[in-house]
Amino acid sequence: DATTGKPGPKLTGHTAQVISVAFSPDGRTIATGGGDGTMRLWDAVSGKPGPEVDVLTGTVLSVAFSPDGRTIAIAGTNRVTRLWDVATRAMSKSLIGHTDAVNAVAFSPDGRTLATGSDDTTARLWKVTASGDTSLVGHTDIVYSVAFSPDGDTVASSSGDKTAILWDVATGRKRLSLTGHKDVVLAVTFSPDGHTVATAGADGTARLWDATTGKPRLAPLSGTTPLHSVAFGPDGRLVTGGRDGTVQLWDADTGKPGKTLKGHTEAVFSAAFSPDGRTVATGSADKTVRLWDVTSGKAHTITTPDQVHDVTFSPDGRTLAIAVGDYTVRLWDVATRTTRTTLAGRIDVAASVAFSPDGRTLATGDSGWTTGLWDATTGKNRMTLIGQHADEVTSVAFSPDGRVLASGSVDKTVHLWHVALPGPAEAIRTICRAAGRDLTKQERTAYLPGRSADPVCPSQA
């Protein structure tokens, strides 16, 4: 009590030193950050603990409420400043740019700007108005796989914490946790009707869950090897890929195994059905992609320079995207069995690839902490999404309407990006407004090759 000097409630719960404390603007809540890597909220009157937020890695050095009390800025030794939404209890944004520990954070009086100070000897000012994007925080280990439900209302994620989580896309809140695997859960997907979630784990089982209740539909589908991949066909059949190179078809209604597809000699990291369900594509550590005829079990083999991390068909089934460990992503023509194009200018390995529902854009989840959006016809980069993940991106998936992209990461989070791409004219207007000037000669050459030297920005004409 600041008037009497008498102590009030003691807030106990942190397991290491408490380094930062902050009151909410209304004085009812206290936020604390400490050496245990968590930010905690407390009732300022009773001292009762509220939500606890794992900030993923490192020590929390500074916490601050926004002036309206709706957002908390959290910074620390992991160099990333995160914004946490008090209402949804989810991360809303990550601010990446400092190259050393971030020691201090402070909001401007209007709440639109955040100042940060760092051991890298710089202070930075960030615009923190809402972007509509959402970070989903709840896993305690690497997120290996993400998938949208067919209606787009739910996104599923699987993790090294031996669980899968179903998230509400609109609110960013956890709907259900799927628990039962005895080892890391390496893949997750929805059935075509959205009623079932399938997971594949390093415990050697695939499991089918009721998407509404989270309860198992069947006994675990047991194999003889850890499972890296799982996919549904359009008719509801299931395929899994194992660490020993085995590709197994399953009857998802009964849980009984179907045809076993043998040919790979090392782990099968990815499996995907063609849209017509007649073909299964698999990618393996044995540096091959195989296209299996589901009826006959025969395969066409594509040899690659390095291990294959992911494969996926375009919505029309004419193109197969292949993510290879040599930094390339190749778009393969299924009819001619030739490489149609290779994504240009890539500098990171892609762990995951996903086509937009209209087939015009390919997303890549990259080792450089970024997600790329590429023109599926020309192979040129359309946009790079950066600044939300603090480690490698492991998985990407588009929502059914193509407006949201989910990305999972080694940083234990899932991020939902709003990815409506502007047309060229709109993009130029946006750049001009942001820059407040016309493009330089060098910028026109780099970004608008072939254009005349006339002013680009209308206001500069």
Side-chain angles (χ1 to χ4, degrees):
D1 186 302
T3 303
T4 66
K6 294 181 179 180
K10 183 181 291 186
L11 313 181
T12 59
H14 281 288
T15 58
Q17 70 269 33
V18 180
I19 297 173
S20 181
V21 295
F23 274 97
S24 61
D26 63 10
R28 297 178 181 178
T29 304
I30 295 172
T32 59
D36 58 3
T38 67
M39 186 278 292
R40 299 175 186 236
L41 298 184
W42 313 81
D43 185 292
V45 177
S46 67
K48 291 182 179 179
E52 174 186 334
V53 182
D54 180 358
V55 298
L56 312 176
T57 57
T59 296
V60 177
L61 299 175
S62 184
V63 294
F65 279 91
S66 61
D68 62 9
R70 297 177 179 178
T71 303
I72 300 174
I74 310 166
T77 57
N78 70 352
R79 303 174 294 173
V80 179
T81 300
R82 296 186 180 273
L83 302 184
W84 192 76
D85 188 294
V86 175
T88 64
R89 299 185 179 184
M91 294 293 180
S92 60
K93 183 175 287 189
S94 296
L95 308 177
I96 297 176
H98 283 297
T99 58
D100 210 332
V102 181
N103 300 311
V105 292
F107 280 95
S108 62
D110 63 8
R112 297 179 179 179
T113 304
L114 184 76
T116 58
S118 169
D119 277 349
D120 65 10
T121 71
T122 70
R124 294 182 179 233
L125 299 178
W126 311 82
K127 295 296 183 183
V128 292
T129 51
S131 66
D133 294 345
T134 306
S135 287
L136 311 180
V137 179
H139 284 297
T140 59
D141 208 327
I142 295 171
V143 175
Y144 284 105
S145 180
V146 293
F148 273 95
S149 60
D151 62 10
D153 292 338
T154 304
V155 66
S157 57
S158 69
S159 170
D161 62 12
K162 305 178 185 179
T163 72
I165 294 178
L166 304 187
W167 308 86
D168 186 297
V169 172
T171 66
R173 292 184 177 179
K174 183 192 301 185
R175 281 187 45 227
L176 292 169
S177 288
L178 309 180
T179 58
H181 280 284
K182 306 302 182 185
D183 207 333
V184 301
V185 186
L186 294 169
V188 64
T189 190
F190 280 89
S191 61
D193 62 11
H195 296 160
T196 302
V197 177
T199 54
D203 61 2
T205 68
R207 298 175 186 240
L208 301 176
W209 313 81
D210 187 296
T212 301
T213 66
K215 295 181 179 179
R217 286 194 176 276
L218 298 169
L221 313 184
S222 298
T224 58
T225 182
L227 299 179
H228 284 266
S229 52
V230 63
F232 275 102
D235 61 359
R237 278 186 292 185
L238 198 70
V239 64
T240 57
R243 189 169 297 174
D244 64 357
T246 298
V247 178
Q248 181 68 54
L249 297 174
W250 304 83
D251 185 315
D253 292 326
T254 65
K256 293 181 179 180
K259 193 181 297 292
T260 301
L261 309 177
K262 294 184 178 181
H264 284 297
T265 58
E266 294 187 49
V268 177
F269 291 137
S270 179
F273 274 95
S274 60
D276 62 10
R278 298 177 181 177
T279 305
V280 169
T282 53
S284 171
D286 65 9
K287 303 181 182 180
T288 69
V289 173
R290 295 176 189 249
L291 296 177
W292 306 86
D293 183 294
V294 172
T295 302
S296 68
K298 294 181 179 180
H300 173 77
T301 301
I302 308 167
T303 302
T304 60
D306 207 329
Q307 61 183 6
V308 179
H309 294 152
D310 198 18
V311 294
T312 190
F313 282 96
S314 60
D316 62 10
R318 296 178 180 178
T319 303
L320 184 72
I322 305 170
V324 186
D326 66 349
Y327 295 79
T328 65
V329 174
R330 304 170 185 218
L331 300 180
W332 198 76
D333 189 299
V334 174
T336 64
R337 296 185 175 182
T338 58
T339 298
R340 181 163 54 77
T341 189
T342 300
L343 301 190
R346 291 189 50 77
I347 58 173
D348 294 308
V349 174
S352 178
V353 287
F355 278 99
S356 59
D358 62 9
R360 297 178 180 178
T361 303
L362 185 76
T364 58
D366 298 325
S367 60
W369 305 13
T370 65
T371 299
L373 299 180
W374 307 79
D375 187 300
T377 301
T378 65
K380 294 182 178 180
N381 181 257
R382 301 182 68 185
M383 182 184 292
T384 299
L385 307 176
I386 190 170
Q388 296 302 332
H389 285 300
D391 214 319
E392 298 178 17
V393 179
T394 56
S395 182
V396 288
F398 275 99
S399 62
D401 63 8
R403 296 179 179 178
V404 180
L405 183 76
S407 57
S409 171
V410 174
D411 70 8
K412 310 174 191 176
T413 71
V414 176
H415 193 77
L416 302 181
W417 309 81
H418 288 263
V419 293
L421 294 171
E426 182 185 348
I428 289 174
R429 288 194 294 270
T430 300
I431 293 169
C432 291
R433 286 195 298 268
R437 59 170 174 79
D438 196 21
L439 301 186
T440 65
K441 180 180 179 181
Q442 291 81 4
E443 288 169 337
R444 283 197 296 270
T445 300
Y447 304 122
L448 298 170
R451 288 283 293 265
S452 70
D454 295 335
V456 174
C457 297
S459 62
Q460 306 297 324

